[in-house]
């Protein structure tokens, strides 16, 4: 059987999420093709072609694909679907936006947020904010999956020499118009790929405090910055920073939670981190129940101390 | 303009989830149930559009057990005008839910469907996108701002890396993100009034759609537990421990 993996990239590089989805696709066995869509993807396609086990890389370009309009992306993937028994998509906001459309058109049940490929038709996925894991078997001939990247190791083996082939995007009469983008640009590592994450909560109290307290620590550790929902809702941090059940799911080597209480919805997004540190002035805060190292302290003194101790 | 708001009855988000020891599912006996939080946001948005005068009628619909009437009454108390319960004891997959909602939409002919981006039990984040596909209406998911502008809806969406604004032609399907609004609490007089608002009950069979499950649950298990570690008493001790753990 053949699997089509949909690449996630930033226009220049494949994201880690793609390498992890490739790893999940290997569990399905069979030929793996990768689809890279967007505009000006010529730099990205060869990266996908270099991984061992990739048979073919398909590229497709159009302004609508670059804007990631779900109707356009799903039409493109559907035009290729006949050739595949499974379509594996990274469970990013973008993937979650178009994947259900593909399943709907194929009249199959989407299998979302796969964390384990048990066999070609059986998968494990988290439900109830990760408080339960369900193992489900599908009777659909074609599978459409979204893959939770943090649950898989990125493929590393290169040496592949897949061919790169351009496909044309089917014409769709869109009822959607792209208006504008408001992307946060930052030199920091992306949350999803960072080895270290420094995350702030409601305790920080203002956007200025959020930045002035967390940035020096993040700079020192080469870390990405995350936030609780409370911090994002209050406008201390952009929406893209939210870690949790309904934000980003992360699993860095080191996660430092500053002034975050540890609500289940937040834990759902970070409890698979390798080492968790909690800095909170309330010794009863639930975050301490999952933290490897807890420091009961006011962040106002603890963070400057920590910076000093890091030297 | 008429709005349809699908609302789902789920485990209250504050309740601690217990996996049944026979691995058949999650224990829902005698636990508090409530409207899916994202659906409360959807109802609130519809009510605000009505208060602005853009919307004339809001219809809430739920698919589920008889007790789902309670979440429909909540929607009515928040400001929906009518409600429809499609009663079933089966757990339906998003594809089946979307097929039923499509049938409802064809009957009700709303100009807009606002629903949650994700239900906090199944966490599928799929039903809205499937419904939009089946209806061939445009979709705008993960909305943090919705504005009616003539026959178009301007929707600001929470996407990877920030925000995106799309213009979608009506009729359309919008799914809500957390920051779209803060839902109101229904006042006591409105809760009383809601008891008298019309609520229709129908059966899945009334719609003649295929709801056969495609997935079978082999087991439901508890995730590996993380145990609490140690408390350290200073930043220096923290750094020393992190070095030993090999993460610094
Ligand atoms: C449907 C739904 C989805 C949700 N999704 C998410 C999600 O994806 N991600 C998420 O994070 N939340 C989510 N939430 C919200 C979640 O339930 C919590 O409300 C939120 O995580 C709380 O954020 P917080 O820990 O920053 O704030 P709080 O709970 O207010 O905690 C602040 C903490 O800071 C500590 N503190 C205060 N001052 C100091 C100080 N000076 N020094 C040190 N510590 C201090 C306090 O002791 C407290 O523990 C969701 C909720 C719902 C209903
Ligand atoms: C194999 C399997 C096992 C299951 N086991 C359980 C279980 O143990 N316990 C349990 O409670 N459920 C169970 N379910 C049901 C499941 O949790 C969901 O109800 C179903 O899969 C729909 O997914 P979702 O709610 O996550 O959809 P999402 O796509 O996340 O929902 C998005 C939005 O769609 C709308 N919506 C979804 N469902 C309805 C509805 N019924 N009525 C009105 N609007 C709706 C809401 O606006 C919601 O915000 C099971 C389902 C399957 C397929």
């Amino acid at each position: 059987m053949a699997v089509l993996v949909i690449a996630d990239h930033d226009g220049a590089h494949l994201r880690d999420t793609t390498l992890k989805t490739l790893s999940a696709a290997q569990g399905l066995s069979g030929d793996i093709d990768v689809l890279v869509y967007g505009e000006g993807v010529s730099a990205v396609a060869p990266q996908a072609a270099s991984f061992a086990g990739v048979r073919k890389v398909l590229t497709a370009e159009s302004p609508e694909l670059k804007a990631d309009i779900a109707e356009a992306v799903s039409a493109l993937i559907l035009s290729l679907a006949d050739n595949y028994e499974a379509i594996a998509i990274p469970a990013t906001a973008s993937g979650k936006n178009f994947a259900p459309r593909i399943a709907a058109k194929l009249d199959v049940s989407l299998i979302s947020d796969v964390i384990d490929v048990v066999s070609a038709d059986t998968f494990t996925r988290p439900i109830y904010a990760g408080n339960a894991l369900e193992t489900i078997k599908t009777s659909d001939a074609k599978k459409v999956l979204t893959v939770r990247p943090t649950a898989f190791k990125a493929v590393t083996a290169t040496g592949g020499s897949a061919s790169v082939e351009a496909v044309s995007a089917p014409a769709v009469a869109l009822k959607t118009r792209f208006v504008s983008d408001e992307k946060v640009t930052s030199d920091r590592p992306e949350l999803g790929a960072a080895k270290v994450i420094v995350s702030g909560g409601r305790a920080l109290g203002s956007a200025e405090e959020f930045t002035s307290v967390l940035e020096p620590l993040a700079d020192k550790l080469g870390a990405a910055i995350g936030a609780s929902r409370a911090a994002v809702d209050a406008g201390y941090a952009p929406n893209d920073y939210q870690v949790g059940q309904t934000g980003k799911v992360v699993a860095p080597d080191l996660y430092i939670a500053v002034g975050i209480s540890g609500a289940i919805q937040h834990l759902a997004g970070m409890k698979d981190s390798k080492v968790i540190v909690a800095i909170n002035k309330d010794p009863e805060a639930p975050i301490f129940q999952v933290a490897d190292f807890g420091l009961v302290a006011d962040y106002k003194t603890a963070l400057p101390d920590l910076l000093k101790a890091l030297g | 303009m008429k709005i349809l708001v699908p609302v789902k009855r789920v485990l209250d988000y504050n309740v601690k989830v217990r996996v049944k020891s026979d691995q058949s599912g999650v224990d829902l006996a005698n636990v508090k149930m409530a409207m899916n939080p994202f659906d409360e946001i959807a109802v609130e948005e519809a009510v605000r559009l009505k208060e602005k005068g853009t919307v004339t009628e809001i219809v809430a619909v739920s698919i589920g057990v008889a007790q789902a009437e309670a979440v429909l009454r909540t929607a009515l108390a928040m400001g929906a005008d009518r409600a429809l319960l499609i009663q079933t004891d089966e757990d339906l997959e998003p594809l089946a839910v979307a097929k039923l909602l499509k049938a409802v939409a064809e009957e009700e002919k709303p100009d807009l469907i606002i629903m949650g981006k994700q239900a906090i039990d199944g966490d599928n984040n799929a039903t809205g996108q499937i419904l939009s596909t089946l209806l061939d209406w445009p979709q705008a998911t993960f909305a943090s701002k919705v504005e009616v502008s003539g026959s178009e809806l301007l929707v600001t969406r929470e996407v990877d890396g920030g925000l995106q604004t799309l213009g979608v032609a009506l009729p359309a399907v919008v799914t809500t993100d957390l920051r779209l609004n803060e839902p109101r609490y229904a006042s006591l007089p409105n809760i009383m009034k809601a008891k008298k608002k019309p609520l229709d009950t129908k059966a899945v069979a009334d719609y003649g759609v295929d709801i056969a499950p495609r997935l079978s649950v082999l087991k439901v298990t508890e995730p590996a537990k993380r145990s609490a570690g140690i408390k350290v008493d200073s930043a220096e001790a923290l750094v020393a421990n992190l070095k030993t753990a090999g993460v610094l």
Side-chain angles (χ1 to χ4, degrees):
Chain A
M1 95 173 191
V3 185
L4 181 65
V5 168
I6 314 302
D8 178 25
H9 64 88
D10 64 5
H13 301 281
L14 275 187
R15 290 204 175 92
D16 216 37
T17 47
T18 309
L19 310 190
K20 291 173 169 172
T21 306
L22 273 172
S23 168
Q26 287 174 347
L28 294 163
S29 75
D31 294 319
I32 297 176
D33 292 352
V34 179
L35 170 68
V36 184
Y37 70 83
E39 232 173 7
V41 298
S42 54
V44 182
Q47 296 168 30
S50 72
F51 286 98
V54 174
R55 176 179 69 173
K56 202 161 57 175
V57 175
L58 306 171
T59 61
E61 314 209 19
S62 79
E64 292 77 30
L65 293 173
K66 178 170 176 15
D68 212 6
I69 305 291
E71 286 84 344
V73 178
S74 52
L76 166 66
I77 297 170
L78 281 161
S79 74
L80 305 167
D82 277 352
N83 304 324
Y84 300 96
E85 265 174 67
I87 300 169
I89 302 162
T92 57
S94 157
K96 289 176 181 177
N97 189 35
F98 65 74
R101 302 187 63 86
I102 299 165
K105 274 276 196 257
L106 296 172
D107 196 37
V108 303
S109 253
L110 173 76
I111 302 173
S112 38
D113 257 325
V114 169
I115 58 167
D116 187 26
V117 177
V118 179
S119 71
D121 64 2
T122 305
F123 307 91
T124 302
R125 56 179 302 271
I127 51 176
Y128 294 94
N131 287 300
L133 307 177
E134 66 173 9
T135 300
I136 51 176
K137 185 180 160 98
T138 175
S139 58
D140 287 320
K142 243 188 235 299
K143 287 103 195 158
V144 181
L145 327 169
T146 65
V147 172
R148 179 174 284 200
T150 53
F152 296 89
K153 280 213 167 64
V155 292
T156 50
T158 50
S161 55
S163 59
V164 176
E165 206 176 283
V167 296
S168 54
V172 253
L174 288 179
K175 298 171 195 163
T176 301
R177 179 173 71 89
F178 171 77
V179 178
S180 62
D181 256 344
E182 200 182 305
K183 295 278 167 92
V184 184
T185 48
S186 153
D187 298 332
R188 293 184 195 288
E190 282 183 40
L191 260 184
K195 296 252 176 293
V196 181
I197 295 174
V198 175
S199 211
R202 193 197 310 269
L204 277 306
S206 71
E208 296 69 37
E209 185 79 352
F210 193 91
T211 317
S212 69
V213 168
L214 297 185
E215 281 198 344
L217 182 61
D219 286 343
K220 181 130 241 158
L221 297 170
I225 297 183
S228 72
R229 173 190 168 183
V232 175
D233 282 2
Y236 309 164
N239 64 278
D240 188 40
Y241 282 30
Q242 183 179 317
V243 171
Q245 178 186 17
T246 55
K248 287 210 165 56
V249 178
V250 299
D253 290 343
L254 176 59
Y255 187 91
I256 305 181
V258 182
I260 292 178
S261 60
I264 52 168
Q265 294 86 6
H266 189 78
L267 301 185
M270 44 65 79
K271 70 179 160 49
D272 293 325
S273 305
K274 207 162 129 206
V275 172
I276 297 174
V277 169
I279 299 174
N280 194 307
K281 69 175 184 189
D282 173 9
E284 302 301 324
I287 187 86
F288 287 120
Q289 290 163 20
V290 299
D292 298 278
F293 304 111
L295 181 58
V296 181
D298 190 320
Y299 77 83
K300 289 191 175 108
T301 54
L303 283 218
D305 286 353
L306 182 56
L307 272 177
K308 226 186 288 154
L310 285 166
Chain B
M1 187 159 113
K2 175 171 169 181
I3 301 191
L4 184 69
V5 189
V7 296
K8 187 182 184 191
R9 175 177 181 264
V10 299
L11 189 76
D12 184 273
Y13 82 98
N14 277 313
V15 171
K16 198 170 152 29
V17 171
R18 280 199 181 70
V19 173
K20 288 190 202 158
S21 55
D22 65 358
Q23 303 199 330
S24 64
V26 161
D27 195 354
L28 295 177
N30 306 317
V31 294
K32 186 170 172 222
M33 304 293 282
M35 193 192 303
N36 181 37
F38 288 97
D39 302 350
E40 286 180 2
I41 295 173
V43 175
E44 176 66 33
E45 197 62 21
V47 174
R48 288 189 190 183
L49 287 170
K50 190 172 177 196
E51 285 167 349
K52 277 190 203 143
T54 336
V55 167
T56 45
E57 189 181 26
I58 303 170
V59 182
V61 53
S62 192
I63 302 161
V65 293
Q67 296 92 316
E69 180 177 336
V71 301
L72 287 171
R73 291 288 172 204
T74 306
L76 293 170
M78 288 174 73
D81 300 290
R82 301 194 274 120
L84 170 65
L85 172 62
I86 304 178
Q87 201 177 321
T88 172
D89 289 339
E90 277 173 71
D91 274 330
L92 302 182
E93 292 167 17
L95 184 62
V97 171
K99 285 179 180 174
L100 285 167
L101 292 175
K102 175 182 185 239
V104 173
E106 282 166 349
E107 235 171 54
E108 294 283 348
K109 301 192 173 40
D111 304 279
L112 177 61
I113 300 177
I114 308 185
M115 55 203 286
K117 80 164 177 180
Q118 143 184 12
I120 61 165
D121 52 0
D123 277 340
N124 277 295
N125 194 331
T127 309
Q129 296 89 314
I130 297 173
L131 180 59
S132 139
T133 311
L134 297 180
L135 285 167
D136 196 23
W137 292 4
Q139 75 179 38
T141 56
F142 325 148
S144 64
K145 192 171 166 214
V146 173
E147 223 179 313
V148 182
S149 156
S151 63
E152 195 185 50
L153 201 66
L154 290 175
V155 181
T156 302
R157 311 179 46 234
E158 301 206 352
V159 297
D160 304 307
L163 300 170
Q164 178 189 58
T165 303
L166 295 179
V168 291
L170 293 172
V173 176
V174 169
T175 76
T176 61
D177 218 317
L178 292 167
R179 278 161 287 277
L180 182 56
N181 60 50
E182 239 178 89
R184 70 195 64 194
Y185 289 103
S187 66
L188 196 57
N190 284 341
I191 293 172
M192 299 313 290
K193 261 191 248 160
K195 290 188 178 155
K196 297 202 190 78
K197 288 187 180 175
L199 190 152
D200 257 1
T201 302
K202 294 216 172 168
V204 168
D206 296 340
Y207 294 91
V209 304
D210 164 28
I211 56 152
R214 313 299 181 80
L215 308 174
S216 55
V217 183
L218 303 186
K219 61 175 180 184
V220 175
T221 56
E222 234 173 291
K225 277 235 160 50
R226 228 192 143 95
S227 45
I230 56 166
K231 294 245 170 74
V232 293
D233 53 14
S234 70
E236 291 76 22
L238 178 58
V239 170
N241 274 295
L242 292 177
K243 284 192 172 141
T244 313
V247 289
L248 277 188

